[in-house]
């Protein structure tokens, strides 16, 4: 379990610049830093079926896994292009996708337009090394 926590803590530390930038935007716009999908997609009726998914700032969609032992998790991606933050796979939005959920990967999707600036947060060498050492 320690390698799992270590990996996630490292990701969180690499997120700090993004979080600081998004906090500044929150102050400037009054949009919450963490917000339900309906905040950004008020006309998308499908977001109401996924009330526990949320946006972290403008570019990251988080879908917490709420069942112990789950191996796959359904995630609704609103309209637009999204990138699975852990695999780098680009997906079209406006649909629900199923994603494997190993213990050390919370489903996180990045807006494709922002992936270049956030890729290193999730795919750094340190993360890859820890992942290689983490038992499946």
């Amino acid at each position: 379990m320690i390698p799992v926590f270590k990996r996630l803590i490292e990701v969180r530390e690499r997120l700090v610049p993004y979080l600081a930038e998004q906090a500044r935007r929150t102050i400037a716009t009054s949009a919450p830093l963490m917000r339900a999908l309906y905040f950004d997609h008020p006309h998308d009726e499908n977001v109401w079926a996924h009330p526990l998914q949320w946006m972290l700032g403008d570019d990251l969609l988080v879908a917490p896994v709420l069942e112990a032992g789950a191996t796959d998790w359904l995630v609704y991606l609103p309209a637009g292009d999204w990138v699975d933050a852990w695999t780098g796979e680009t997906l079209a939005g406006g649909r629900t996708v199923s994603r494997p959920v190993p213990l050390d990967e919370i489903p996180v999707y990045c807006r494709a337009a922002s992936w270049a600036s956030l890729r290193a947060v999730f795919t750094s060498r340190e993360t890859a090394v820890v992942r290689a050492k983490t038992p499946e």
Side-chain angles (χ1 to χ4, degrees):
M1 287 303 278
I2 290 175
V4 171
F5 289 120
K6 182 177 186 282
R7 178 176 189 233
L8 295 175
I9 288 167
E10 289 171 348
V11 168
R12 185 230 173 253
E13 288 302 309
R14 287 191 301 275
L15 266 174
V16 168
Y18 171 77
L19 295 172
E21 173 196 341
Q22 293 300 309
R24 284 189 291 277
R25 286 187 186 181
T26 292
I27 291 167
T29 65
S30 299
L33 180 61
M34 295 171 58
R35 54 192 182 254
L37 295 182
Y38 57 76
F39 188 89
D40 293 309
H41 306 278
H43 303 294
D44 184 343
E45 294 180 17
N46 294 312
V47 299
W48 297 96
H50 304 274
L52 301 177
Q53 289 184 198
W54 46 279
M55 294 297 297
L56 179 58
D58 295 332
D59 300 313
L60 295 176
L61 183 152
V62 180
V65 176
L66 304 172
E67 295 175 14
T71 57
D72 291 288
W73 200 250
L74 294 177
V75 179
Y76 179 70
L77 301 174
D81 291 326
W82 297 90
V83 176
D84 182 314
W86 303 108
T87 67
E89 177 184 9
T90 301
L91 301 159
R95 64 188 176 126
T96 301
V97 297
S98 180
R99 185 199 194 287
V101 287
L103 186 60
D104 61 341
E105 290 183 7
I106 300 161
V108 176
Y109 290 84
C110 178
R111 289 188 195 279
S114 299
W115 180 237
S117 64
L118 289 166
R119 175 181 316 181
V121 170
F122 298 94
T123 62
S124 77
R125 181 178 173 170
E126 292 82 15
T127 299
V129 169
V130 172
R131 175 86 171 131
K133 294 179 182 177
T134 303
E136 294 296 323

